[in-house]
Amino acid sequence: MAKVMKPGEANGGNFVQCKGCKKTLFASEFKDNLFVCNYCGHHHRLTWRQRVECTFDEGSFKPLDTELVSVDSLQFPEYAEKHTASVEKLDQNDSVVGGIAQLDGIDVSTAISDFTFMGGSMGSVAGEIITRALERGAEQKMPVIIFCASGGARMQEGLLSLMQMAKTTAGVHKCREVGVPFIAVFTDPTMAGVLASYASIADVIIAEPRCLIGFAGARVSKQAQVVKAPDDFQTAEFVFRSGMLDRIVERREMRGMLTSLVSMFGAHLREGTNG
Amino acid sequence: MAKVMKPGEANGGNFVQCKGCKKTLFASEFKDNLFVCNYCGHHHRLTWRQRVECTFDEGSFKPLDTELVSVDSLQFPEYAEKHTASVEKLDQNDSVVGGIAQLDGIDVSTAISDFTFMGGSMGSVAGEIITRALERGAEQKMPVIIFCASGGARMQEGLLSLMQMAKTTAGVHKCREVGVPFIAVFTDPTMAGVLASYASIADVIIAEPRCLIGFAGARVSKQAQVVKAPDDFQTAEFVFRSGMLDRIVERREMRGMLTSLVSMFGAHLREGTNG
Amino acid sequence: MANSWKEWERPLLDLEDGVLKLKHLAARELDPAKKAALEKRIEDFEERIRSFIEVKYSRLGPWEEVLLARAEPRPYTLDYINQILPDFRELDGDRRFGADHAIVAGPARFDGQPVMVVGHQKGRDIKERAYRNFAMAKPEGYRKAIRMFEMAERFRMPVITFVDTPAADPGVESESRGISEAIAASMLSMFELTVPVVSIIIGEGGSGGAIGIAIGNKVLMMEHAVYSVIPPEGCAAILWRDPGKKAQAAAALKLTSASALEFNLVDEVIKEPFGGAHRNAVEAGESIQAAISKYMGELQKMSPSELKEQRYQRFRALGIFETE
Amino acid sequence: MANSWKEWERPLLDLEDGVLKLKHLAARELDPAKKAALEKRIEDFEERIRSFIEVKYSRLGPWEEVLLARAEPRPYTLDYINQILPDFRELDGDRRFGADHAIVAGPARFDGQPVMVVGHQKGRDIKERAYRNFAMAKPEGYRKAIRMFEMAERFRMPVITFVDTPAADPGVESESRGISEAIAASMLSMFELTVPVVSIIIGEGGSGGAIGIAIGNKVLMMEHAVYSVIPPEGCAAILWRDPGKKAQAAAALKLTSASALEFNLVDEVIKEPFGGAHRNAVEAGESIQAAISKYMGELQKMSPSELKEQRYQRFRALGIFETE
Ligand SMILES: [Zn+2]
Ligand SMILES: [Zn+2]
């Protein structure tokens, strides 16, 4: 059965099956290859912990805002159960983990969205963590890097989750005001309310190859139009052609790209150094 | 023979033939109708004097910068002769006339391009007058209205005329800096180097119906593309659909529209009044 | 469960129709006795209408609020503009790609003062509905809005936005021209404003398409408007795999004006005329005018930087969570 | 009159080809006498090449300058970037409609310091030429440039632009997406910058397409670049209804670097290597690097507002007229 490693399984000596080409891969090699299939290049989804390992200077990531916990304000059907199940299974409070980290020694403020937690959906907690990551960057003059992986706003928090679109956008506004660069990394998938808020107004947007990026569910938008959707509709490649992305960058190049960008775009923030 | 009135001929009791539908019109009625055919609605080109009469409070226009005269710096073939002939024929120094005027008593800075003078082309003098009109607006806190009617930059002044694109854009920049509204009125034709500089970055752009508006000569751009040009390519209607115009306004409504806009957009400039 | 406002109000609409016919008859009746009888019947009918409305409107559930918010005869943005914003001069164009008639925009006067108005516009008949794309704006619409916000900033004009859209246009073309970026950039440009902004949800506040132009210093909501992160139909389809359970979804989503106020997501709910805004558009317009007047008055006492900061703090504070 | 650089340099190219062949022979020749003879011939050839270049390049007319500016082997923007702007990270997208490969852009380092680079990019082979659209940018290209200028401003990075385009794309699609607005808005955004901007015309400075990204505090021009309000062919067609009179038109338009300097429209002409930049791209790159270094050094002594004001005044002053 197709199976993508969960955190901690990578060292078990198991085999895993590629979600792209279905070939069987050695788990250890797969991990060394940053969870990218070396046959077909499929970039498998990462948990936030895997993302941290693949990206930042070793041991540099410090989680913050971990004290925030979700409230079922609307008493929405099944929300409390689903949420609790995710919390217990994944040992994290919600879909986004924020913190600070380093790239080649440069401090960055970051937030990482984890699709395994309720589809990475953005409710009050996720919105707050993202906004704090942006504000922290703005206040402490650190570049901000946010990894997106989300189906969109969290329906179960109703209008409160729609408001997170505005709130996170307000966070971007703070970075703009003080000249702090904000880089968004779109990973599979980056959709709907997340795409239509802070994510799309990053200074630089980088996507992983072939990841899904879209405003509406593909079904909705294909229905809604007389215009035929191209075959690669809502993939990173389509979105790049549409002028919405700066670059599509393979995972093995991502750390280098991000380091270079925060080094150059953030140079003016690091007084007394030359970048 | 088809003939459009020249300045001063309107009161001669002549007939004129409409350039649009070729019908014969009473000159006096034609003038009362602001040189718009009452059969087909064709908006005939206006000289700058006619434009002043059709637009501003009676007697309010005061020409400025009339002392500027062109120099044939490049010794360009036939330029001096052509230019001199236009000056003598039209009793004006160049293709653009600048000044100040009033709309319902509100002071505005203005410049009016006259296609009858060498196709309204923009050389050093035209560029200077337009830039001064913009700067005058910025300095004296008057809204700026510029009427465009031009084939583009004046080839005969070579690179100097290309630089007028930058210079007039610099003028718009000054208005932006101080919150002075700049309204461009596109009349037949508004093309090339004029369109690709100050004209297209006006706060509000209004066009007369069916006027020609384009970057490249229609021949060039139709050649250059596999995409078929729509039938109304480079007309005001096409350009409106393309999102480049705020409104297409008939000449009889133009004065009212402009007055309303300068009254509202310029209210903050007129201290102590409420607009 | 009714599927449309018309279906839900059918008995009421029939009564109102009846009154109209009776009035027509009465007007032409010459016999005073018969006329009096007709007028008595009219009075009876009107009393029945009143009590019918009273009963029906006192028991409105969330789904009925959705139906009302979507009701075709509800006043739309241009109706309010025509009533309370004289000298409106519609401007158009995103300067990028196209004209979008799902959003109308331009300067106007409010209480004599120049303001910038931006609002979604629905169509009343089939032809206008197509022309307005059912008030589902494409990227061009939001980019036009941004252009207007920027002009409002340069020319120091307060901004009024009217929100009334089922959603932003979700089509292939919208995606390929960056509808997500357009919505986000529109919100961002509203956060940058140093002039007062009042936003009013007048009908459907549909998700990202709505909030894209709803970043006000004050956000008001008509009594029978709805404001939701997802349409109830979509929510039901996801949650129960049954779009028919839209009434349950509407209830779960807490999309009514009362809920929005309870969660402090809107600053005031504007009471609608007896029987809804569609029964008395003029009165609805007057209520909106009074509300805008009040809040503009408050906001104009604030400095440009205070206005920006207050708007930031207003949205920054939204969200409910606990701290471990 | 030659129609292309290749035609014009044909005898020279043949000689250079001959030298290459002789060198190949000499390298494999084992007989010392024959080798010496070959080397003598090579020397003769090289001497002939030198004097050929000396003569030909001392008599360059405006039309020949046009041919040189358009020469396929001339160094293009990415060649200079690769040589003198390490850590270049190409960024893309206008966030509106599309990716445009006629303009390349992104951050890089110059003399160790972060800068923003924007430049037209021609293609060397047929495939790349199509991909680059012959360096004729569409609105997307200029809007990408604007996005980069805005980032340069926010992140306090000096800007370097390389200009090398026959013209902006004049097609129907370009018009329908507002190529005129895009060019004008790009110029406007450059006037708004408070960081140093150096622009270099490296090849063809074609009309609006060129000046759209050429609003520098300092504008430099390569010796054999041209800068013109209209291509000579177009000018000839308009003036004499004969596109064949392009050489006369080139002369009339005063489009050479010498003329641009004479009229004070550029701040410096960067001397090219013997026989043109295409004969020694590295040396050309070094000259550009030295020139940018010099001017960046001057500009970085100025305050943000001085930089904006100097740029404004620089362009404000352009134009020649008299006062009656
Ligand atoms: Zn694979
Ligand atoms: Zn006619």
Side-chain angles (χ1 to χ4, degrees):
Chain A
M1 212 198 77
K3 175 174 182 311
V4 170
M5 254 180 312
K6 302 212 178 61
E9 290 185 6
N11 300 317
N14 301 336
F15 294 95
V16 288
Q17 194 187 33
C18 171
K19 289 248 183 189
C21 65
K22 310 295 175 196
K23 287 212 173 78
T24 302
L25 311 169
F26 283 107
S28 58
E29 279 182 24
F30 182 51
K31 195 192 168 190
D32 289 347
N33 208 28
L34 309 180
F35 310 94
V36 175
C37 173
N38 50 8
Y39 296 106
C40 74
H42 184 79
H43 282 56
H44 292 74
R45 288 175 180 162
L46 301 184
T47 64
W48 74 265
R49 291 177 180 86
Q50 289 168 336
R51 180 67 63 183
V52 164
E53 278 177 41
C54 292
T55 310
F56 297 115
D57 296 356
E58 211 184 319
S60 72
F61 179 74
K62 286 177 193 56
L64 293 167
D65 308 318
T66 52
E67 72 282 10
L68 304 186
V69 290
S70 174
V71 176
D72 181 15
S73 337
L74 273 59
Q75 301 284 309
F76 199 95
E78 302 166 42
Y79 180 38
E81 300 86 305
K82 275 187 194 164
H83 194 277
T84 306
S86 282
V87 170
E88 285 170 4
K89 188 169 162 202
L90 298 170
D91 188 24
Q92 64 196 66
N93 279 354
D94 215 296
S95 63
V96 173
V97 175
I100 54 166
Q102 293 191 325
L103 281 167
D104 262 12
I106 300 171
D107 288 325
V108 297
S109 175
T110 188
I112 302 161
S113 187
D114 191 330
F115 191 74
T116 49
F117 193 106
M118 291 191 73
S121 60
M122 179 166 72
S124 290
V125 170
E128 180 70 19
I129 290 175
I130 287 162
T131 308
R132 287 192 189 180
L134 288 158
E135 288 176 331
R136 188 173 290 123
E139 280 156 22
Q140 299 182 29
K141 304 282 183 280
M142 294 183 284
V144 180
I145 300 176
I146 300 185
F147 294 87
C148 308
S150 173
R154 185 171 290 167
M155 187 177 71
Q156 293 89 340
E157 295 190 18
L159 193 53
L160 279 163
S161 67
L162 186 69
M163 292 302 141
Q164 305 311 306
M165 290 175 65
K167 184 161 86 175
T168 55
T169 298
V172 178
H173 163 64
K174 281 290 162 192
C175 287
R176 291 242 171 169
E177 277 195 324
V178 295
V180 159
F182 163 38
I183 300 165
V185 181
F186 290 4
T187 76
D188 193 52
T190 299
M191 300 294 291
V194 163
L195 186 67
S197 62
Y198 72 92
S200 283
I201 45 173
D203 295 303
V204 178
I205 303 177
I206 301 167
E208 289 197 334
R210 287 181 295 284
C211 72
L212 192 69
I213 302 168
F215 175 66
R219 197 183 42 78
V220 175
S221 56
K222 282 183 186 175
Q223 274 178 349
Q225 273 286 4
V226 266
V227 175
K228 201 190 162 298
D231 289 338
D232 63 353
F233 184 59
Q234 292 191 336
T235 64
E237 290 68 23
F238 167 84
V239 176
F240 176 79
R241 284 203 312 279
S242 301
M244 305 302 152
L245 299 179
D246 282 283
R247 284 279 283 272
I248 296 171
V249 171
E250 304 219 341
R251 196 171 287 160
R252 82 197 68 205
E253 310 290 340
M254 189 65 81
R255 180 183 149 85
M257 180 74 178
L258 294 174
T259 305
S260 214
L261 291 176
V262 298
S263 165
M264 292 192 277
F265 285 152
H268 68 296
L269 305 171
R270 301 187 294 278
E271 274 186 338
T273 82
N274 220 5
Chain B
M1 212 199 78
K3 174 173 183 313
V4 171
M5 254 179 314
K6 300 214 178 59
E9 291 184 6
N11 299 317
N14 300 337
F15 293 95
V16 288
Q17 194 186 33
C18 171
K19 289 249 182 188
C21 65
K22 309 294 175 197
K23 287 213 173 78
T24 301
L25 311 169
F26 283 107
S28 58
E29 281 182 22
F30 182 51
K31 195 191 168 191
D32 289 347
N33 208 27
L34 309 179
F35 311 94
V36 175
C37 173
N38 49 9
Y39 296 106
C40 73
H42 185 81
H43 282 56
H44 291 74
R45 289 174 179 161
L46 300 184
T47 64
W48 74 265
R49 290 178 180 87
Q50 289 169 335
R51 181 67 63 184
V52 164
E53 278 176 41
C54 293
T55 310
F56 297 114
D57 294 356
E58 210 183 319
S60 72
F61 179 75
K62 287 179 192 55
L64 292 166
D65 308 318
T66 52
E67 71 282 11
L68 304 185
V69 290
S70 175
V71 176
D72 181 15
S73 337
L74 273 60
Q75 303 284 308
F76 198 95
E78 301 165 43
Y79 180 38
E81 300 86 305
K82 275 186 193 165
H83 194 276
T84 306
S86 282
V87 170
E88 284 170 4
K89 188 170 162 201
L90 298 170
D91 188 25
Q92 64 197 65
N93 278 355
D94 214 297
S95 63
V96 173
V97 174
I100 53 167
Q102 294 190 325
L103 281 167
D104 260 12
I106 300 170
D107 288 325
V108 298
S109 175
T110 189
I112 302 161
S113 186
D114 191 329
F115 192 74
T116 50
F117 192 107
M118 292 191 73
S121 60
M122 179 166 73
S124 291
V125 169
E128 181 70 19
I129 290 174
I130 288 162
T131 308
R132 288 192 188 182
L134 289 159
E135 288 177 331
R136 188 172 290 124
E139 280 156 23
Q140 300 181 28
K141 303 280 183 282
M142 293 183 285
V144 180
I145 300 175
I146 300 185
F147 294 87
C148 308
S150 172
R154 183 171 292 167
M155 188 177 70
Q156 292 89 342
E157 295 190 19
L159 194 53
L160 280 164
S161 66
L162 186 69
M163 293 301 142
Q164 304 312 305
M165 289 175 64
K167 184 160 87 175
T168 54
T169 298
V172 178
H173 163 63
K174 280 290 163 193
C175 287
R176 291 242 170 169
E177 277 195 325
V178 296
V180 160
F182 162 38
I183 299 165
V185 180
F186 290 4
T187 76
D188 192 53
T190 299
M191 301 294 291
V194 163
L195 187 65
S197 62
Y198 72 93
S200 282
I201 46 174
D203 295 303
V204 177
I205 303 177
I206 300 166
E208 289 196 334
R210 287 180 294 283
C211 72
L212 193 69
I213 302 168
F215 176 65
R219 196 182 42 79
V220 175
S221 56
K222 282 183 186 175
Q223 274 178 348
Q225 274 284 7
V226 266
V227 176
K228 200 191 162 299
D231 289 339
D232 63 354
F233 184 60
Q234 292 191 338
T235 64
E237 290 69 22
F238 167 83
V239 176
F240 176 79
R241 284 202 313 279
S242 302
M244 306 302 151
L245 300 179
D246 281 283
R247 285 280 283 273
I248 296 170
V249 172
E250 303 219 343
R251 196 171 287 160
R252 84 196 69 204
E253 309 290 339
M254 189 66 81
R255 179 182 150 85
M257 181 75 179
L258 294 174
T259 304
S260 214
L261 291 176
V262 298
S263 164
M264 292 192 278
F265 286 151
H268 69 296
L269 305 171
R270 300 187 295 278
E271 273 186 338
T273 82
N274 219 4
Chain C
M1 190 191 64
N3 282 301
S4 74
W5 153 82
K6 236 181 194 154
E7 198 184 323
W8 180 71
E9 275 204 350
R10 175 56 56 208
L12 184 54
L13 295 174
D14 288 346
L15 282 171
E16 287 178 331
D17 219 42
V19 166
L20 270 184
K21 278 178 190 150
L22 288 172
K23 280 185 171 168
H24 200 66
L25 284 177
R28 293 192 303 183
E29 184 56 66
L30 300 175
D31 181 332
K34 284 184 183 168
K35 199 180 175 100
L38 277 170
E39 277 165 356
K40 178 75 184 71
R41 277 186 68 194
I42 289 170
E43 242 172 63
D44 286 354
F45 260 64
E46 286 183 333
E47 182 47 41
R48 280 169 66 191
I49 289 173
R50 259 192 302 279
S51 60
F52 199 105
I53 289 177
E54 246 165 47
V55 172
K56 221 165 161 59
Y57 275 73
S58 66
R59 288 186 198 156
L60 283 174
W63 176 246
E64 284 72 37
E65 293 285 14
V66 171
L67 297 181
L68 269 177
R70 293 177 183 170
E72 292 92 3
R74 261 185 96 77
Y76 295 154
T77 293
L78 280 175
D79 299 312
Y80 291 127
I81 288 176
N82 289 335
Q83 188 188 336
I84 65 176
L85 289 149
D87 289 355
F88 176 62
R89 293 285 181 169
E90 187 175 354
L91 302 180
D92 215 323
D94 65 341
R95 301 277 203 271
R96 297 290 179 270
F97 184 87
D100 188 335
H101 308 295
I103 287 181
V104 295
R109 286 183 192 276
F110 180 80
D111 288 349
Q113 192 201 22
V115 294
M116 185 65 86
V117 189
V118 174
H120 300 101
Q121 180 61 38
K122 291 186 173 182
R124 204 144 263 139
D125 58 33
I126 289 178
K127 208 177 138 195
E128 203 200 346
R129 249 169 250 166
Y131 176 72
R132 301 287 182 194
N133 195 32
F134 304 88
M136 298 193 295
K138 297 194 170 82
E140 296 76 74
Y142 293 99
R143 289 175 186 148
K144 167 170 69 178
I146 292 171
R147 203 162 69 76
M148 298 301 152
F149 297 143
E150 289 172 352
M151 281 202 273
E153 176 72 13
R154 280 204 295 282
F155 308 142
R156 312 309 306 156
M157 298 158 83
V159 174
I160 299 170
T161 68
F162 293 101
V163 177
D164 191 12
T165 179
D169 183 284
V172 170
E173 286 192 81
S174 266
E175 290 258 8
S176 72
R177 296 196 296 271
I179 184 66
S180 299
E181 191 277 344
I183 289 172
S186 181
M187 288 193 285
L188 182 64
S189 83
M190 294 186 84
F191 277 115
E192 290 167 352
L193 294 174
T194 62
V195 290
V197 183
V198 174
S199 299
I200 308 129
I201 321 294
I202 59 170
E204 281 187 278
S207 189
I211 201 164
I213 61 167
I215 309 297
N217 292 89
K218 297 290 174 183
V219 181
L220 319 179
M221 192 165 168
M222 293 300 281
E223 182 182 0
H224 301 304
V226 294
Y227 199 1
S228 183
V229 69
I230 186 172
E233 293 88 342
C235 175
I238 293 173
L239 209 58
W240 298 295
R241 296 210 163 78
D242 178 3
K245 295 194 172 169
K246 50 203 178 188
Q248 287 102 304
L253 286 166
K254 303 268 195 295
L255 44 59
T256 64
S257 62
S259 293
L261 189 66
E262 185 195 329
F263 287 111
N264 290 314
L265 305 180
V266 299
D267 299 280
E268 180 176 324
V269 171
I270 300 172
K271 197 147 172 51
E272 295 195 16
F274 185 70
H278 56 298
R279 285 212 157 63
N280 194 336
V282 170
E283 195 186 315
E286 285 164 356
S287 301
I288 286 186
Q289 179 165 35
I292 300 176
S293 255
K294 180 176 100 179
Y295 288 109
M296 279 296 175
E298 287 181 20
L299 295 172
Q300 289 187 315
K301 290 180 195 135
M302 294 165 69
S303 73
S305 60
E306 282 168 352
L307 284 164
K308 187 162 76 164
E309 182 62 15
Q310 184 271 339
R311 200 180 310 110
Y312 177 80
Q313 294 299 346
R314 185 199 179 286
F315 284 89
R316 177 65 187 86
L318 303 183
I320 300 181
F321 50 82
E322 284 174 357
T323 309
E324 272 181 339
Chain D
M1 190 192 63
N3 282 301
S4 75
W5 153 80
K6 238 183 192 150
E7 197 184 324
W8 179 70
E9 275 204 351
R10 175 57 54 208
L12 185 52
L13 295 174
D14 288 345
L15 281 171
E16 288 178 330
D17 219 41
V19 166
L20 269 185
K21 279 178 190 149
L22 287 173
K23 281 186 171 168
H24 200 66
L25 284 178
R28 292 193 302 183
E29 183 56 66
L30 300 176
D31 181 330
K34 284 184 183 167
K35 201 181 173 96
L38 276 171
E39 276 164 357
K40 177 76 184 73
R41 276 187 70 194
I42 290 172
E43 242 172 65
D44 285 354
F45 260 64
E46 285 183 335
E47 182 47 41
R48 278 170 66 191
I49 289 172
R50 259 192 302 279
S51 59
F52 199 105
I53 290 177
E54 246 165 46
V55 171
K56 220 164 160 59
Y57 275 74
S58 66
R59 290 186 198 155
L60 284 174
W63 176 246
E64 285 72 38
E65 294 285 15
V66 171
L67 296 181
L68 270 177
R70 293 176 183 170
E72 292 91 3
R74 261 184 96 77
Y76 294 154
T77 293
L78 279 175
D79 299 311
Y80 291 126
I81 288 177
N82 290 335
Q83 187 188 337
I84 65 176
L85 290 149
D87 289 356
F88 176 62
R89 294 284 181 168
E90 187 175 353
L91 302 180
D92 214 323
D94 65 340
R95 301 276 205 270
R96 297 289 180 270
F97 185 87
D100 187 334
H101 307 294
I103 287 182
V104 296
R109 285 182 194 277
F110 181 80
D111 289 349
Q113 192 202 21
V115 294
M116 185 65 85
V117 188
V118 174
H120 300 102
Q121 180 61 37
K122 291 187 172 181
R124 204 144 264 138
D125 58 32
I126 289 179
K127 208 177 138 194
E128 202 200 347
R129 249 169 250 165
Y131 176 72
R132 302 287 182 194
N133 195 31
F134 305 89
M136 296 193 297
K138 298 194 170 81
E140 296 77 74
Y142 294 99
R143 289 174 187 148
K144 167 169 69 178
I146 292 171
R147 202 162 69 76
M148 300 299 152
F149 298 143
E150 288 173 352
M151 280 203 273
E153 176 72 13
R154 280 205 294 284
F155 309 142
R156 313 309 307 156
M157 298 158 83
V159 174
I160 299 170
T161 69
F162 293 101
V163 177
D164 191 13
T165 179
D169 183 283
V172 170
E173 285 192 82
S174 266
E175 291 256 8
S176 72
R177 296 196 296 271
I179 184 66
S180 299
E181 190 277 345
I183 289 172
S186 181
M187 288 192 284
L188 182 63
S189 83
M190 294 187 85
F191 277 115
E192 289 167 352
L193 295 174
T194 61
V195 291
V197 183
V198 174
S199 299
I200 308 128
I201 322 293
I202 59 170
E204 280 187 277
S207 189
I211 201 165
I213 61 167
I215 309 297
N217 292 90
K218 298 289 174 183
V219 180
L220 318 179
M221 192 167 169
M222 294 300 282
E223 182 183 0
H224 300 304
V226 294
Y227 200 2
S228 182
V229 69
I230 187 173
E233 293 88 343
C235 175
I238 294 173
L239 209 59
W240 297 295
R241 297 210 162 76
D242 178 3
K245 295 196 172 168
K246 51 203 176 186
Q248 287 101 304
L253 285 166
K254 303 268 194 295
L255 43 61
T256 65
S257 62
S259 292
L261 189 66
E262 184 195 331
F263 287 110
N264 288 314
L265 305 180
V266 298
D267 298 281
E268 179 176 326
V269 171
I270 299 172
K271 197 147 172 52
E272 294 196 15
F274 185 70
H278 56 298
R279 284 213 157 62
N280 194 337
V282 170
E283 195 185 316
E286 285 164 357
S287 301
I288 286 185
Q289 179 165 35
I292 300 176
S293 255
K294 181 176 98 180
Y295 288 109
M296 278 296 174
E298 287 181 20
L299 294 172
Q300 289 188 314
K301 288 179 195 136
M302 295 164 70
S303 72
S305 60
E306 282 169 351
L307 284 164
K308 188 162 77 163
E309 183 63 15
Q310 184 271 338
R311 199 180 311 110
Y312 177 79
Q313 294 299 347
R314 185 198 179 286
F315 284 90
R316 177 66 188 85
L318 303 183
I320 299 181
F321 49 84
E322 284 174 357
T323 309
E324 271 181 342

